[in-house]
Amino acid sequence: MAANLAAEAEGGRPAGTAPAPRASRTSAKGEQTRARLVAAARTLLAGDGLARFSTRNVAALCGISHGMCHYHFQDRTDLIVAVARDIGPEWIGPMEAAVDRPGPFAERAERVIGLLTQPEGPDLSRLHSALHWFALSDDRVRAAIDGEYRRWRECFVRLFQVLADEHDGAFDPVPLGTALAAAADGLAAIQSLDARVETGASVRALVSGLAAAAVRP
């Protein structure tokens, strides 16, 4: 017992126990640092720091050296791409879950409508705007955002695929899913400018109208 206590005091672990693998500890610390950098980048992009967004300013906000920032991210674009992927679970994940949970088209459509009628949070809205701004002049950012929006559009294609399957493949779900995705993006943009805009009726009319047109004899 005394030996164990002495070992803990000197080495931080009881005698006879194996030390944690150094690589694992280093990897975990590196992941934590990377996550902190992405969080700091998000803060700058969602705030008023768009014009001064740089790896140096992100590192300063994070409280680490500029060199350590470049150890994890090659350049500013790498950071922006990491942010684009980091926010995916917040806006795409819930929609994927709503579409892919079991149930007929009507049930899944109700879940989708419920999500589409929820206004996007101000921070997420500003992040999307900042990412689109950078995508205008950076092909790597554009490719990353395009990949995320492909996932987003695929949610609506899968939704209408359920309806198509219920009607023995009577129509192609891709145009309908793409149309709903585009309309949803437009409504979100309108609501980001004026939170008083009530999108519920519009979203419901869109979904029901597209569905009715698809299965009409």
Side-chain angles (χ1 to χ4, degrees), residues 132-150:
H132 288 148
W133 187 85
F134 280 114
L136 294 175
S137 57
D138 192 313
D139 289 342
R140 287 161 58 200
V141 176
R142 185 183 303 111
I145 295 176
D146 178 61
E148 294 300 296
Y149 271 94
R150 284 177 186 272

Side-chain angles (χ1 to χ4, degrees), residues 1-215:
M1 177 71 174
N4 281 348
L5 291 174
E8 287 180 347
E10 293 178 6
R13 59 183 177 86
T17 60
R22 182 177 181 83
S24 297
R25 293 199 300 268
T26 302
S27 176
K29 185 175 181 180
E31 287 300 315
Q32 291 173 359
T33 301
R34 182 182 175 87
R36 287 171 55 202
L37 285 164
V38 172
R42 288 185 57 158
T43 298
L44 274 181
L45 288 173
D48 59 357
L50 180 61
R52 60 186 183 86
F53 184 82
S54 67
T55 54
R56 188 176 298 279
N57 288 336
V58 169
L61 181 61
C62 196
I64 68 171
S65 70
H66 188 212
M68 181 58 70
C69 180
H70 278 285
Y71 175 81
H72 291 281
F73 297 97
Q74 178 181 350
D75 52 25
R76 185 180 73 166
T77 296
D78 271 358
L79 258 176
I80 297 170
V81 168
V83 170
R85 291 171 178 161
D86 187 64
I87 66 175
E90 297 174 31
W91 64 288
I92 304 174
M95 188 62 69
E96 289 177 329
V99 170
D100 294 336
R101 276 168 49 200
F105 171 80
E107 289 183 10
R108 300 187 199 210
E110 282 299 318
R111 294 195 292 261
V112 167
I113 291 170
L115 287 175
L116 291 178
T117 54
Q118 295 177 12
E120 189 174 60
D123 283 352
L124 196 55
S125 179
R126 286 193 290 267
L127 277 171
H128 277 136
S129 296
L131 292 171
H132 288 148
W133 187 85
F134 280 114
L136 294 175
S137 57
D138 192 313
D139 289 342
R140 287 161 58 200
V141 176
R142 185 183 303 111
I145 295 176
D146 178 61
E148 294 300 296
Y149 271 94
R150 284 177 186 272
R151 282 181 57 196
W152 171 252
R153 292 193 297 272
E154 182 60 28
C155 292
F156 302 106
V157 173
R158 293 203 301 275
L159 173 65
F160 282 104
Q161 181 66 64
V162 174
L163 182 63
D165 291 343
E166 291 176 357
H167 290 268
D168 300 319
F171 62 91
D172 180 1
V174 174
L176 278 73
T178 303
L180 179 56
D185 291 340
L187 286 171
I190 293 172
Q191 199 169 45
S192 70
L193 296 173
D194 187 353
R196 296 169 299 177
V197 174
E198 202 287 310
T199 60
S202 298
V203 171
R204 189 170 296 280
L206 277 167
V207 175
S208 61
L210 288 169
V215 301

